[in-house]
């Protein structure tokens, strides 16, 4: 079943219904739903869709020719001729030509990008609608989106497909409570293919054991496949991410934990940032600060390297219950950080930049931090996020008010507190006169 993506579909349809040539790259991490989006878009349109495979160029050209001519084992043709055959058949009106898993085609023969560019240049006055899609972020960015690519100036738009937000989780797990959905979101994120393995008719425990801890489960090995998609030698990247998952979030700390020079760590971090696996953060009021930290951006990978790799990749079937108990011991603390991400999503609906803040109190000389800090329209939004089983008290409201005065900004400050379990009467009484907005987990989960 196809879920969501209304905005992306609307954009594709808008461009399809306009006149003239269109070239739209669609990119995003593995399993995020690119193919599903394309299939939904072209289901009622004249379209030729080719999915490249890992293999030789001749194999891919034979497969493409077979699709174009509608026969099995078609003779191998060169890419340029096949493109012209497609255009001669359908080019008198609007048609869609899709190459899914384009990075596989590039790996089989790098000249395909130049050939495709020449084809586009020759048919800019046509109604062809070309879509290139792929999961290798590295190749998609260098071969299509990067300014060194022959196709750089050809695209008429682009769609970066992101994971679903926490608020979208209701459609995947309608039978789960917000707390149960939060746990699933923290473990696999908003990747639709990952979520498809979770059955809201089964308990959270059954789903975690069956889909993550079971050594035969797909998600138990998915991280390995994801890294193989991007890196020829992923071991050093495993070590870096594993180190960050264990709490080492500065270059020097990571270098010490991994046993590599800081210069090498910096290179690895830069690549992981480019692939959007990790992110670099600075205090929002000092974006050029050298006080940067690194965190794992992808929820599935964060959970995988914290809870599964390497200790629980091959858990024997008679120890699955124990492995589950080990994870649940740390789950409450872990979900506190996930809740901050969920609150960031909520704030990000109205703010252009969302991050965090930390600094030193000039009076006490102690380090202080604010969970979520964002730049909105003419204001700075500052938030505390508490994922606790008891209602949040007035102390959290008082702390946010005090810490907001430490943030270096001339913008008006909008203060928010998010709480899993609601608020005490004292917190409610303090928030109102101080213009502090209070939100619950239910508020966040229903935000669309």
């Amino acid at each position: 079943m196809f879920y969501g993506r209304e905005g992306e579909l609307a954009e594709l349809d808008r461009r399809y219904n306009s006149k003239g040539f269109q070239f739209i790259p669609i990119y995003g991490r593995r399993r995020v739903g690119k193919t599903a989006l394309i299939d939904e878009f072209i289901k009622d349109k004249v379209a030729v869709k080719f999915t490249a495979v890992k293999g030789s160029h001749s194999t891919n050209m034979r497969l493409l020719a077979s699709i174009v001519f509608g026969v099995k084992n078609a003779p191998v043709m060169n890419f340029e001729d096949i493109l012209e055959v497609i255009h001669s058949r359908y080019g008198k009106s609007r048609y869609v030509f899709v190459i899914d898993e384009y990075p596989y085609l590039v790996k089989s023969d790098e000249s395909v990008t130049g050939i495709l560019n020449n084809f586009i240049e020759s048919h800019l006055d046509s109604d062809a609608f070309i879509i290139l899609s792929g999961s290798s972020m590295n190749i998609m960015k260098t071969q299509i989106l990067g300014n060194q690519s022959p196709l750089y100036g050809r695209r008429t738009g682009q769609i970066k497909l992101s994971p679903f937000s926490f608020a979208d989780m209701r459609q995947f797990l309608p039978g789960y409570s917000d707390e149960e959905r939060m746990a699933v979101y923290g473990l696999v994120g908003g990747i639709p293919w990952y979520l498809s393995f979770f059955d809201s008719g089964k308990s959270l425990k059954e789903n975690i054991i069956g889909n993550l801890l079971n050594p035969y489960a797909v998600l138990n090995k998915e991280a390995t496949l994801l890294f193989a998609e991007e890196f020829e030698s992923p071991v050093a990247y495993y070590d870096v991410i594993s180190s960050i998952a264990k709490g080492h979030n500065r270059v020097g700390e990571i270098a010490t934990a991994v046993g590599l020079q800081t210069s090498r760590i910096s290179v690895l971090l830069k690549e992981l940032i480019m692939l959007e696996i990790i992110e670099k953060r600075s205090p929002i009021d000092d974006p050029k600060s050298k006080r940067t930290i690194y965190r794992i951006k992808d929820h599935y990978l964060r959970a995988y390297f914290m809870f599964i790799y390497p200790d629980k990749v091959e858990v024997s079937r008679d120890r699955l219950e124990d492995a589950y108990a080990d994870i649940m011991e740390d789950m409450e603390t872990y979900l506190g950080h996930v809740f901050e991400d969920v609150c960031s999503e909520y704030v990000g609906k109205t703010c252009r930049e969302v991050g965090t803040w930390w600094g030193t109190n000039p009076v006490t000389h102690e380090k202080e931090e604010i969970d979520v800090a964002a730049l909105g329209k003419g204001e700075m939004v500052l938030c505390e996020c508490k994922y606790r089983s008891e209602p949040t008290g007035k102390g959290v409201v008082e702390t946010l008010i005090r810490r907001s005065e430490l943030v270096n900004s001339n913008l008006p400050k909008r203060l928010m507190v998010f709480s899993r379990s609601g608020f005490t009467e004292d917190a409610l009484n303090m928030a109102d006169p101080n213009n502090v907005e209070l939100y619950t987990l239910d508020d966040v989960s229903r935000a669309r």
Side-chain angles (χ1 to χ4, degrees):
M1 184 178 293
F2 184 80
Y3 292 107
R5 306 302 190 193
E6 293 89 354
E8 292 87 350
L9 277 174
E11 177 63 14
L12 288 170
D13 283 328
R14 184 185 71 81
R15 291 182 177 276
Y16 180 85
N17 293 323
S18 64
K19 293 183 179 180
F21 172 82
Q22 293 285 340
F23 169 36
I24 311 292
I26 298 177
Y27 65 107
R29 73 166 331 267
R30 176 182 167 90
R31 311 297 195 187
V32 79
K34 300 179 295 297
T35 300
L37 172 65
I38 292 168
D39 289 343
E40 184 71 13
F41 169 61
I42 67 174
K43 68 181 182 181
D44 57 353
K45 298 173 177 64
V46 175
V48 176
K49 180 190 172 191
F50 166 60
T51 301
V53 299
K54 290 182 179 179
S56 67
H57 187 64
S58 61
T59 296
N60 275 289
M61 290 302 98
R62 181 178 288 109
L63 290 171
L64 177 55
S66 297
I67 291 171
V68 173
F69 292 105
V71 298
K72 292 184 178 180
N73 299 318
V76 176
M77 297 176 60
N78 65 54
F79 189 42
E80 185 177 11
D81 289 343
I82 297 177
L83 291 174
E84 291 300 337
V85 168
I86 294 171
H87 192 72
S88 66
R89 285 191 172 189
Y90 305 108
K92 293 181 180 180
S93 60
R94 173 71 91 190
Y95 73 95
V96 184
F97 175 50
V98 178
I99 303 180
D100 199 3
E101 297 297 354
Y102 184 72
Y104 292 157
L105 191 59
V106 172
K107 288 180 180 179
S108 73
D109 187 341
E110 290 188 358
S111 69
V112 297
T113 299
I115 293 171
L116 184 59
N117 177 63
N118 293 338
F119 171 80
I120 290 173
E121 187 173 9
S122 300
H123 299 289
L124 287 173
D125 59 349
S126 73
D127 284 324
F129 193 115
I130 297 176
I131 295 175
L132 300 184
S133 176
S135 298
S136 173
M137 297 286 281
N138 191 10
I139 293 179
M140 290 297 291
K141 288 185 175 182
T142 57
Q143 289 291 322
I144 300 174
L145 304 170
N147 56 17
Q148 301 299 314
S149 168
L151 294 171
Y152 176 70
R154 299 302 185 193
R155 67 185 188 273
T156 56
Q158 64 188 45
I159 292 178
K160 177 190 173 186
L161 210 57
S162 299
F164 285 113
S165 69
F166 173 69
D168 295 318
M169 290 278 287
R170 286 180 176 272
Q171 60 192 323
F172 290 95
L173 294 168
Y176 268 27
S177 67
D178 287 337
E179 285 83 2
E180 290 171 323
R181 280 192 288 266
M182 179 69 71
V184 175
Y185 192 62
L187 291 170
V188 299
I191 304 300
W193 191 72
Y194 298 172
L195 292 170
S196 69
F197 289 98
F198 284 74
D199 182 355
S200 58
K202 295 181 179 180
S203 69
L204 179 64
K205 177 179 179 179
E206 289 175 305
N207 275 311
I208 291 175
I209 290 177
N211 295 314
L212 289 168
L213 295 177
N214 181 351
Y216 304 109
V218 172
L219 297 184
N220 188 265
K221 302 293 189 296
E222 172 68 8
T224 303
L225 297 175
L226 194 152
F227 274 74
E229 192 82 36
E230 299 290 353
F231 309 115
E232 291 185 4
S233 302
V235 175
Y237 300 94
Y238 283 162
D239 289 343
V240 168
I241 296 182
S242 183
S243 173
I244 296 174
K246 289 179 172 62
H248 307 295
N249 57 17
R250 302 179 188 275
V251 173
E253 295 173 358
I254 299 168
T256 300
V258 173
L260 293 174
Q261 295 293 323
T262 55
S263 58
R264 176 58 177 156
I265 293 296
S266 296
V267 171
L268 297 174
L269 290 171
K270 185 176 180 180
E271 292 182 43
L272 290 168
I273 290 171
M274 189 267 290
L275 297 173
E276 300 184 3
I277 293 173
I278 67 170
E279 61 182 349
K280 179 180 179 179
R281 283 192 165 187
S282 301
I284 200 163
D285 61 349
D286 189 12
K288 296 183 179 180
S289 171
K290 294 183 179 180
R291 296 178 294 143
T292 55
I293 60 173
Y294 297 87
R295 67 193 295 271
I296 303 172
K297 185 177 182 180
D298 186 287
H299 285 162
Y300 166 72
L301 290 177
R302 189 191 305 168
Y304 181 86
F305 281 95
M306 181 170 181
F307 295 125
I308 298 176
Y309 178 86
D311 297 336
K312 297 180 179 65
V313 173
E314 295 293 347
V315 177
S316 61
R317 296 192 66 83
D318 60 348
R319 284 209 63 250
L320 292 177
E321 292 275 345
D322 292 339
Y324 172 78
D326 290 343
I327 289 177
M328 297 312 291
E329 282 184 9
D330 298 320
M331 184 59 71
E332 190 84 1
T333 300
Y334 175 71
L335 290 182
H337 298 295
V338 175
F339 188 50
E340 292 174 13
D341 292 339
V342 168
C343 297
S344 294
E345 292 174 355
Y346 183 90
V347 171
K349 294 179 183 296
T350 56
C351 293
R352 58 183 170 84
E353 183 179 338
V354 182
T356 187
W357 177 88
W358 68 90
T360 302
N361 188 316
V363 177
T364 65
H365 304 292
E366 294 180 351
K367 292 184 179 180
E368 308 225 31
E369 63 182 64
I370 296 174
D371 295 331
V372 177
L375 295 177
K377 189 174 182 180
E379 64 182 5
M380 179 172 282
V381 181
L382 303 173
C383 316
E384 285 295 317
C385 313
K386 300 304 175 187
Y387 198 75
R388 299 169 177 167
S389 56
E390 68 276 358
T392 296
K394 72 172 185 177
V396 174
V397 179
E398 290 175 327
T399 299
L400 177 60
I401 295 171
R402 177 178 57 77
R403 287 176 177 171
S404 70
E405 297 174 356
L406 302 176
V407 180
N408 184 25
S409 175
N410 293 322
L411 292 172
K413 293 166 184 173
R414 181 181 176 188
L415 307 185
M416 300 179 177
V417 177
F418 295 85
S419 173
R420 166 191 176 184
S421 305
F423 300 89
T424 64
E425 192 68 28
D426 286 344
L428 294 171
N429 292 336
M430 170 158 283
D432 188 46
N434 288 284
N435 295 316
V436 178
E437 301 171 31
L438 305 181
Y439 298 91
T440 65
L441 177 59
D442 183 69
D443 294 327
V444 174
S445 73
R446 294 181 184 278
R448 296 298 302 274

PDB file of all heavy atoms in Angstrom, residues 337-360:
ATOM      1  N   HIS A 337      16.546  11.249  23.774  1.00  0.00           N
ATOM      2  CA  HIS A 337      17.207  11.926  22.655  1.00  0.00           C
ATOM      3  C   HIS A 337      16.349  11.854  21.389  1.00  0.00           C
ATOM      4  O   HIS A 337      16.302  12.805  20.596  1.00  0.00           O
ATOM      5  CB  HIS A 337      18.574  11.302  22.410  1.00  0.00           C
ATOM      6  CG  HIS A 337      19.511  11.437  23.567  1.00  0.00           C
ATOM      7  ND1 HIS A 337      19.970  12.652  24.011  1.00  0.00           N
ATOM      8  CD2 HIS A 337      20.069  10.504  24.380  1.00  0.00           C
ATOM      9  CE1 HIS A 337      20.778  12.476  25.050  1.00  0.00           C
ATOM     10  NE2 HIS A 337      20.842  11.180  25.294  1.00  0.00           N
ATOM     11  N   VAL A 338      15.668  10.732  21.200  1.00  0.00           N
ATOM     12  CA  VAL A 338      14.772  10.610  20.049  1.00  0.00           C
ATOM     13  C   VAL A 338      13.640  11.622  20.163  1.00  0.00           C
ATOM     14  O   VAL A 338      13.234  12.237  19.165  1.00  0.00           O
ATOM     15  CB  VAL A 338      14.206   9.175  19.949  1.00  0.00           C
ATOM     16  CG1 VAL A 338      13.181   9.069  18.829  1.00  0.00           C
ATOM     17  CG2 VAL A 338      15.334   8.176  19.729  1.00  0.00           C
ATOM     18  N   PHE A 339      13.128  11.821  21.375  1.00  0.00           N
ATOM     19  CA  PHE A 339      12.053  12.791  21.601  1.00  0.00           C
ATOM     20  C   PHE A 339      12.514  14.196  21.222  1.00  0.00           C
ATOM     21  O   PHE A 339      11.738  14.988  20.676  1.00  0.00           O
ATOM     22  CB  PHE A 339      11.606  12.737  23.054  1.00  0.00           C
ATOM     23  CG  PHE A 339      10.388  13.565  23.353  1.00  0.00           C
ATOM     24  CD1 PHE A 339       9.248  13.470  22.574  1.00  0.00           C
ATOM     25  CD2 PHE A 339      10.371  14.442  24.436  1.00  0.00           C
ATOM     26  CE1 PHE A 339       8.102  14.231  22.858  1.00  0.00           C
ATOM     27  CE2 PHE A 339       9.251  15.200  24.732  1.00  0.00           C
ATOM     28  CZ  PHE A 339       8.118  15.101  23.936  1.00  0.00           C
ATOM     29  N   GLU A 340      13.768  14.512  21.471  1.00  0.00           N
ATOM     30  CA  GLU A 340      14.298  15.811  21.058  1.00  0.00           C
ATOM     31  C   GLU A 340      14.234  15.946  19.533  1.00  0.00           C
ATOM     32  O   GLU A 340      13.902  17.017  19.003  1.00  0.00           O
ATOM     33  CB  GLU A 340      15.732  15.973  21.545  1.00  0.00           C
ATOM     34  CG  GLU A 340      15.856  16.099  23.056  1.00  0.00           C
ATOM     35  CD  GLU A 340      17.290  16.114  23.522  1.00  0.00           C
ATOM     36  OE1 GLU A 340      18.202  16.276  22.674  1.00  0.00           O
ATOM     37  OE2 GLU A 340      17.533  15.968  24.740  1.00  0.00           O
ATOM     38  N   ASP A 341      14.543  14.869  18.822  1.00  0.00           N
ATOM     39  CA  ASP A 341      14.452  14.896  17.361  1.00  0.00           C
ATOM     40  C   ASP A 341      13.012  15.093  16.907  1.00  0.00           C
ATOM     41  O   ASP A 341      12.731  15.819  15.946  1.00  0.00           O
ATOM     42  CB  ASP A 341      14.995  13.594  16.765  1.00  0.00           C
ATOM     43  CG  ASP A 341      16.494  13.444  16.957  1.00  0.00           C
ATOM     44  OD1 ASP A 341      17.168  14.467  17.171  1.00  0.00           O
ATOM     45  OD2 ASP A 341      16.989  12.309  16.886  1.00  0.00           O
ATOM     46  N   VAL A 342      12.084  14.407  17.579  1.00  0.00           N
ATOM     47  CA  VAL A 342      10.664  14.521  17.234  1.00  0.00           C
ATOM     48  C   VAL A 342      10.176  15.949  17.482  1.00  0.00           C
ATOM     49  O   VAL A 342       9.437  16.512  16.659  1.00  0.00           O
ATOM     50  CB  VAL A 342       9.843  13.503  18.057  1.00  0.00           C
ATOM     51  CG1 VAL A 342       8.353  13.785  17.940  1.00  0.00           C
ATOM     52  CG2 VAL A 342      10.154  12.089  17.587  1.00  0.00           C
ATOM     53  N   CYS A 343      10.597  16.543  18.576  1.00  0.00           N
ATOM     54  CA  CYS A 343      10.236  17.935  18.852  1.00  0.00           C
ATOM     55  C   CYS A 343      10.873  18.876  17.829  1.00  0.00           C
ATOM     56  O   CYS A 343      10.266  19.886  17.436  1.00  0.00           O
ATOM     57  CB  CYS A 343      10.661  18.318  20.268  1.00  0.00           C
ATOM     58  SG  CYS A 343       9.828  17.361  21.562  1.00  0.00           S
ATOM     59  N   SER A 344      12.075  18.538  17.376  1.00  0.00           N
ATOM     60  CA  SER A 344      12.728  19.328  16.331  1.00  0.00           C
ATOM     61  C   SER A 344      11.915  19.286  15.039  1.00  0.00           C
ATOM     62  O   SER A 344      11.807  20.285  14.317  1.00  0.00           O
ATOM     63  CB  SER A 344      14.148  18.809  16.077  1.00  0.00           C
ATOM     64  OG  SER A 344      14.978  19.020  17.206  1.00  0.00           O
ATOM     65  N   GLU A 345      11.348  18.112  14.726  1.00  0.00           N
ATOM     66  CA  GLU A 345      10.482  17.997  13.552  1.00  0.00           C
ATOM     67  C   GLU A 345       9.275  18.914  13.685  1.00  0.00           C
ATOM     68  O   GLU A 345       8.882  19.584  12.724  1.00  0.00           O
ATOM     69  CB  GLU A 345      10.012  16.554  13.379  1.00  0.00           C
ATOM     70  CG  GLU A 345      11.101  15.564  13.009  1.00  0.00           C
ATOM     71  CD  GLU A 345      10.595  14.130  13.004  1.00  0.00           C
ATOM     72  OE1 GLU A 345       9.422  13.901  13.379  1.00  0.00           O
ATOM     73  OE2 GLU A 345      11.373  13.239  12.646  1.00  0.00           O
ATOM     74  N   TYR A 346       8.696  18.936  14.867  1.00  0.00           N
ATOM     75  CA  TYR A 346       7.520  19.777  15.115  1.00  0.00           C
ATOM     76  C   TYR A 346       7.877  21.250  14.927  1.00  0.00           C
ATOM     77  O   TYR A 346       7.174  21.995  14.228  1.00  0.00           O
ATOM     78  CB  TYR A 346       7.014  19.522  16.533  1.00  0.00           C
ATOM     79  CG  TYR A 346       5.757  20.269  16.894  1.00  0.00           C
ATOM     80  CD1 TYR A 346       4.507  19.702  16.667  1.00  0.00           C
ATOM     81  CD2 TYR A 346       5.820  21.526  17.480  1.00  0.00           C
ATOM     82  CE1 TYR A 346       3.350  20.381  17.012  1.00  0.00           C
ATOM     83  CE2 TYR A 346       4.665  22.220  17.830  1.00  0.00           C
ATOM     84  CZ  TYR A 346       3.433  21.635  17.589  1.00  0.00           C
ATOM     85  OH  TYR A 346       2.285  22.322  17.923  1.00  0.00           O
ATOM     86  N   VAL A 347       8.974  21.669  15.533  1.00  0.00           N
ATOM     87  CA  VAL A 347       9.407  23.058  15.429  1.00  0.00           C
ATOM     88  C   VAL A 347       9.805  23.391  13.987  1.00  0.00           C
ATOM     89  O   VAL A 347       9.567  24.497  13.494  1.00  0.00           O
ATOM     90  CB  VAL A 347      10.582  23.314  16.397  1.00  0.00           C
ATOM     91  CG1 VAL A 347      11.199  24.689  16.160  1.00  0.00           C
ATOM     92  CG2 VAL A 347      10.118  23.179  17.835  1.00  0.00           C
ATOM     93  N   GLY A 348      10.393  22.401  13.305  1.00  0.00           N
ATOM     94  CA  GLY A 348      10.872  22.621  11.945  1.00  0.00           C
ATOM     95  C   GLY A 348       9.783  22.897  10.929  1.00  0.00           C
ATOM     96  O   GLY A 348      10.071  23.341   9.816  1.00  0.00           O
ATOM     97  N   LYS A 349       8.537  22.661  11.285  1.00  0.00           N
ATOM     98  CA  LYS A 349       7.436  22.960  10.363  1.00  0.00           C
ATOM     99  C   LYS A 349       7.279  24.456  10.145  1.00  0.00           C
ATOM    100  O   LYS A 349       6.737  24.889   9.133  1.00  0.00           O
ATOM    101  CB  LYS A 349       6.126  22.365  10.897  1.00  0.00           C
ATOM    102  CG  LYS A 349       6.111  20.839  10.928  1.00  0.00           C
ATOM    103  CD  LYS A 349       4.804  20.317  11.496  1.00  0.00           C
ATOM    104  CE  LYS A 349       4.816  18.797  11.609  1.00  0.00           C
ATOM    105  NZ  LYS A 349       4.927  18.149  10.294  1.00  0.00           N
ATOM    106  N   THR A 350       7.759  25.262  11.097  1.00  0.00           N
ATOM    107  CA  THR A 350       7.621  26.713  10.978  1.00  0.00           C
ATOM    108  C   THR A 350       8.958  27.451  11.065  1.00  0.00           C
ATOM    109  O   THR A 350       8.972  28.679  10.996  1.00  0.00           O
ATOM    110  CB  THR A 350       6.689  27.246  12.080  1.00  0.00           C
ATOM    111  OG1 THR A 350       7.183  26.840  13.365  1.00  0.00           O
ATOM    112  CG2 THR A 350       5.267  26.710  11.897  1.00  0.00           C
ATOM    113  N   CYS A 351      10.050  26.722  11.224  1.00  0.00           N
ATOM    114  CA  CYS A 351      11.365  27.355  11.360  1.00  0.00           C
ATOM    115  C   CYS A 351      12.290  26.933  10.226  1.00  0.00           C
ATOM    116  O   CYS A 351      12.219  25.805   9.744  1.00  0.00           O
ATOM    117  CB  CYS A 351      12.005  26.994  12.701  1.00  0.00           C
ATOM    118  SG  CYS A 351      11.137  27.677  14.126  1.00  0.00           S
ATOM    119  N   ARG A 352      13.179  27.824   9.824  1.00  0.00           N
ATOM    120  CA  ARG A 352      14.066  27.550   8.689  1.00  0.00           C
ATOM    121  C   ARG A 352      15.340  26.827   9.104  1.00  0.00           C
ATOM    122  O   ARG A 352      16.012  26.211   8.281  1.00  0.00           O
ATOM    123  CB  ARG A 352      14.428  28.851   7.969  1.00  0.00           C
ATOM    124  CG  ARG A 352      15.094  29.885   8.857  1.00  0.00           C
ATOM    125  CD  ARG A 352      15.357  31.180   8.094  1.00  0.00           C
ATOM    126  NE  ARG A 352      15.777  32.262   8.948  1.00  0.00           N
ATOM    127  CZ  ARG A 352      17.017  32.476   9.354  1.00  0.00           C
ATOM    128  NH1 ARG A 352      17.976  31.641   8.984  1.00  0.00           N
ATOM    129  NH2 ARG A 352      17.313  33.496  10.131  1.00  0.00           N
ATOM    130  N   GLU A 353      15.710  26.908  10.345  1.00  0.00           N
ATOM    131  CA  GLU A 353      16.939  26.255  10.807  1.00  0.00           C
ATOM    132  C   GLU A 353      16.714  25.733  12.219  1.00  0.00           C
ATOM    133  O   GLU A 353      16.320  26.491  13.107  1.00  0.00           O
ATOM    134  CB  GLU A 353      18.108  27.239  10.785  1.00  0.00           C
ATOM    135  CG  GLU A 353      19.435  26.630  11.184  1.00  0.00           C
ATOM    136  CD  GLU A 353      20.581  27.638  11.127  1.00  0.00           C
ATOM    137  OE1 GLU A 353      20.446  28.649  10.413  1.00  0.00           O
ATOM    138  OE2 GLU A 353      21.589  27.399  11.816  1.00  0.00           O
ATOM    139  N   VAL A 354      16.955  24.439  12.400  1.00  0.00           N
ATOM    140  CA  VAL A 354      16.709  23.827  13.705  1.00  0.00           C
ATOM    141  C   VAL A 354      17.988  23.156  14.183  1.00  0.00           C
ATOM    142  O   VAL A 354      18.614  22.391  13.457  1.00  0.00           O
ATOM    143  CB  VAL A 354      15.575  22.783  13.636  1.00  0.00           C
ATOM    144  CG1 VAL A 354      15.318  22.200  15.028  1.00  0.00           C
ATOM    145  CG2 VAL A 354      14.305  23.400  13.070  1.00  0.00           C
ATOM    146  N   GLY A 355      18.373  23.441  15.388  1.00  0.00           N
ATOM    147  CA  GLY A 355      19.575  22.840  15.960  1.00  0.00           C
ATOM    148  C   GLY A 355      19.459  22.763  17.465  1.00  0.00           C
ATOM    149  O   GLY A 355      18.423  22.377  18.005  1.00  0.00           O
ATOM    150  N   THR A 356      20.504  23.188  18.133  1.00  0.00           N
ATOM    151  CA  THR A 356      20.518  23.150  19.594  1.00  0.00           C
ATOM    152  C   THR A 356      21.379  24.303  20.104  1.00  0.00           C
ATOM    153  O   THR A 356      21.894  25.110  19.328  1.00  0.00           O
ATOM    154  CB  THR A 356      21.052  21.789  20.082  1.00  0.00           C
ATOM    155  OG1 THR A 356      20.902  21.699  21.490  1.00  0.00           O
ATOM    156  CG2 THR A 356      22.522  21.600  19.714  1.00  0.00           C
ATOM    157  N   TRP A 357      21.522  24.386  21.412  1.00  0.00           N
ATOM    158  CA  TRP A 357      22.367  25.425  22.002  1.00  0.00           C
ATOM    159  C   TRP A 357      23.054  24.873  23.238  1.00  0.00           C
ATOM    160  O   TRP A 357      22.466  24.090  24.001  1.00  0.00           O
ATOM    161  CB  TRP A 357      21.531  26.648  22.406  1.00  0.00           C
ATOM    162  CG  TRP A 357      22.368  27.705  23.085  1.00  0.00           C
ATOM    163  CD1 TRP A 357      23.062  28.716  22.483  1.00  0.00           C
ATOM    164  CD2 TRP A 357      22.629  27.819  24.487  1.00  0.00           C
ATOM    165  NE1 TRP A 357      23.748  29.463  23.429  1.00  0.00           N
ATOM    166  CE2 TRP A 357      23.493  28.926  24.671  1.00  0.00           C
ATOM    167  CE3 TRP A 357      22.226  27.093  25.602  1.00  0.00           C
ATOM    168  CZ2 TRP A 357      23.943  29.317  25.917  1.00  0.00           C
ATOM    169  CZ3 TRP A 357      22.679  27.476  26.865  1.00  0.00           C
ATOM    170  CH2 TRP A 357      23.523  28.592  27.011  1.00  0.00           C
ATOM    171  N   TRP A 358      24.301  25.282  23.408  1.00  0.00           N
ATOM    172  CA  TRP A 358      25.002  25.027  24.666  1.00  0.00           C
ATOM    173  C   TRP A 358      26.035  26.122  24.875  1.00  0.00           C
ATOM    174  O   TRP A 358      26.476  26.791  23.928  1.00  0.00           O
ATOM    175  CB  TRP A 358      25.645  23.640  24.695  1.00  0.00           C
ATOM    176  CG  TRP A 358      26.798  23.444  23.737  1.00  0.00           C
ATOM    177  CD1 TRP A 358      28.121  23.664  23.971  1.00  0.00           C
ATOM    178  CD2 TRP A 358      26.710  22.991  22.374  1.00  0.00           C
ATOM    179  NE1 TRP A 358      28.868  23.383  22.854  1.00  0.00           N
ATOM    180  CE2 TRP A 358      28.028  22.952  21.868  1.00  0.00           C
ATOM    181  CE3 TRP A 358      25.665  22.624  21.548  1.00  0.00           C
ATOM    182  CZ2 TRP A 358      28.308  22.568  20.550  1.00  0.00           C
ATOM    183  CZ3 TRP A 358      25.937  22.236  20.253  1.00  0.00           C
ATOM    184  CH2 TRP A 358      27.252  22.206  19.774  1.00  0.00           C
ATOM    185  N   GLY A 359      26.385  26.328  26.122  1.00  0.00           N
ATOM    186  CA  GLY A 359      27.351  27.359  26.449  1.00  0.00           C
ATOM    187  C   GLY A 359      27.692  27.332  27.922  1.00  0.00           C
ATOM    188  O   GLY A 359      27.253  26.454  28.669  1.00  0.00           O
ATOM    189  N   THR A 360      28.476  28.307  28.350  1.00  0.00           N
ATOM    190  CA  THR A 360      28.912  28.391  29.747  1.00  0.00           C
ATOM    191  C   THR A 360      28.226  29.563  30.434  1.00  0.00           C
ATOM    192  O   THR A 360      28.221  30.685  29.905  1.00  0.00           O
ATOM    193  CB  THR A 360      30.434  28.568  29.838  1.00  0.00           C
ATOM    194  OG1 THR A 360      31.073  27.467  29.176  1.00  0.00           O
ATOM    195  CG2 THR A 360      30.893  28.623  31.280  1.00  0.00           C
TER     196      THR A 360
END
